[in-house]
Amino acid sequence: MPQTDQPSRAGLPVPPHFDSASVESVWRVDYAARAADAVAWSTTHGIPPARTDVQRTCLVLVDCQNTFCLPEHELFVGGRSGRGAIDDNRRLCEFLYRHLGSVTEIVATLDTHTSVQIFHPVFWVDADGRHPAGAVTVITPEDVAQGTWRVNPGIAGVRSGVDYEWLQAHALHYVRALAEGRYPLTVWPYHAMLGGIGHALVSAVEEAAFFHSICRQTAVRFESKGSNPLTENYSVLSPEVVTGPDGSAVAVRNHALIDHLLEFDAIVIAGQAKSHCVAWSVHDLLTEIQARDSGLAHRVSLLEDCTSPVVVPGVVDFTDDADDAFRRFATAGMRIVRSTEPVAI
């Protein structure tokens, strides 16, 4: 990293309001109390406004939402320990509090869904008109081509200007594109539903981000992803499929966020899940970096102990896939660090 005259404030204590057990439940953040605490804390510890930072650091929080981070919600990321996202968020909050004076901006991504989307059960029916059931359902190109699964005729109006025939053609095009790329189409349980409690940030993470925003006098930048009914968005930077069966655009890459992130001197990334939304967001960021200047990869640090892979005991375990992805990122020049280690910010 370039040398600067900016003082290091990475050794700050964790504020007394933080309760490590609070990462395990949903509760209302007392904004008035935390704002008063933050003003006092910044005065006591000499934390300046973010606009004065010489070296600018962005902390990217990928999908730190209840739907992925709490065991009673739909897609809890437990990892092999069974407590993955819970322990990740405790360490993440502590990391942010210790680095309040060094983190210039927080970008928080939000998986954002409604009921009728290509990866939700109501989008699909079998020959008897039944929707996919169970924890997850994988739909292959053969399933769609043979009619094992087809688009639910009842959702033909899901997008203006397209009819049922186009939707059915898109479904086949889509599953074929996925099969050639990252994953087969997985029909997930309804999750991260816009307006629901699962969509919200974990309360303790929200509190830490709010506290940072008052201390540094800057707003959190929220980035929604995944609301397009015709494609998925594991990565915050790019949808899985961007064209329809006729070559028309159905989605676009998030060029504004890519450009914004690459304006920072350092980027630190954490969140859920290591095997999916974190891995593919980092993959897309690295792809963009390599297209512009591969040396920029050293600006990126991945908090390895603040992210966990998808593991469903006896069903799927993406731990090895996640670890392989992180090794590729390290080989490309990104830094794999733990939250308690020195981070180049």
Side-chain angles (χ1 to χ4, degrees):
M1 297 300 300
Q3 297 298 312
T4 74
D5 296 326
Q6 183 173 321
S8 172
R9 298 182 180 84
L12 292 173
V14 175
H17 69 259
F18 177 64
D19 176 4
S20 61
S22 68
V23 300
E24 301 188 39
S25 58
V26 176
W27 42 274
R28 185 185 68 83
V29 175
D30 188 339
Y31 301 115
R34 289 294 82 78
D37 292 343
V39 171
W41 196 255
S42 61
T43 300
T44 297
H45 295 282
I47 303 172
R51 61 178 174 78
T52 67
D53 286 357
V54 177
Q55 178 165 307
R56 301 177 66 251
T57 296
C58 182
L59 175 60
V60 181
L61 308 180
V62 178
D63 298 1
C64 295
Q65 298 163 270
N66 293 322
T67 201
F68 304 112
C69 296
L70 298 181
E72 65 270 23
H73 284 264
E74 301 85 6
L75 291 178
F76 173 60
V77 181
R80 286 181 176 171
S81 73
R83 286 182 52 87
I86 295 172
D87 293 334
D88 295 338
N89 284 331
R90 173 182 55 78
R91 290 185 286 261
L92 177 58
C93 288
E94 292 172 349
F95 173 86
L96 177 54
Y97 286 128
R98 290 196 307 270
H99 293 84
L100 280 171
S102 302
V103 173
T104 308
E105 179 180 282
I106 295 171
V107 171
T109 77
L110 296 172
D111 214 31
T112 303
H113 304 320
T114 57
S115 56
V116 184
Q117 299 201 240
I118 200 165
F119 48 81
H120 276 162
V122 74
F123 198 96
W124 299 92
V125 292
D126 63 14
D128 297 318
R130 295 173 299 196
H131 303 302
V136 296
T137 299
V138 173
I139 296 181
T140 67
E142 292 73 25
D143 290 333
V144 179
Q146 296 169 8
T148 304
W149 294 107
R150 60 190 177 95
V151 177
N152 175 7
I155 58 96
V158 66
R159 184 157 178 160
S160 176
V162 300
D163 56 22
Y164 181 74
E165 288 71 22
W166 188 94
L167 280 176
Q168 188 62 28
H170 177 69
L172 182 57
H173 161 77
Y174 186 82
V175 294
R176 284 174 172 168
L178 287 188
E180 295 171 357
R182 299 177 178 181
Y183 304 103
L185 174 64
T186 301
V187 179
W188 301 100
Y190 300 103
H191 65 284
M193 298 292 285
L194 182 61
I197 196 68
H199 183 257
L201 288 178
V202 169
S203 299
V205 175
E206 182 202 0
E207 181 181 57
F210 176 77
F211 194 83
H212 172 271
S213 72
I214 301 300
C215 278
R216 302 305 315 274
Q217 301 176 48
T218 186
V220 177
R221 176 172 174 147
F222 289 98
E223 289 284 337
S224 295
K225 66 182 181 67
S227 60
N228 189 320
L230 300 180
T231 187
E232 298 158 277
N233 255 97
Y234 289 116
S235 167
V236 69
L237 300 178
S238 180
E240 298 302 300
V241 177
V242 297
T243 61
D246 53 2
S248 61
V250 297
V252 295
R253 289 171 61 83
N254 192 341
H255 294 287
L257 180 57
I258 293 170
D259 291 340
H260 182 70
L261 292 177
L262 293 179
E263 291 173 353
F264 287 90
D265 300 295
I267 305 165
V268 182
I269 302 176
Q272 304 306 327
K274 181 181 180 181
S275 53
H276 287 69
C277 295
V278 171
W280 289 112
S281 293
V282 176
H283 172 274
D284 286 346
L285 179 61
L286 178 58
T287 298
E288 191 66 30
I289 283 173
Q290 291 174 331
R292 300 185 185 197
D293 176 0
S294 60
L296 296 175
H298 77 275
R299 295 187 182 184
V300 182
S301 295
L302 309 179
L303 294 183
E304 191 171 31
D305 62 339
C306 295
T307 183
S308 292
V310 171
V311 177
V312 181
V315 181
V316 294
D317 185 337
F318 286 100
T319 302
D320 293 341
D321 301 79
D323 291 344
D324 287 345
F326 269 46
R327 280 191 287 270
R328 291 195 300 274
F329 301 149
T331 299
M334 294 181 172
R335 300 171 178 179
I336 313 299
V337 299
R338 299 183 67 81
S339 61
T340 54
E341 296 172 351
V343 179
I345 66 176

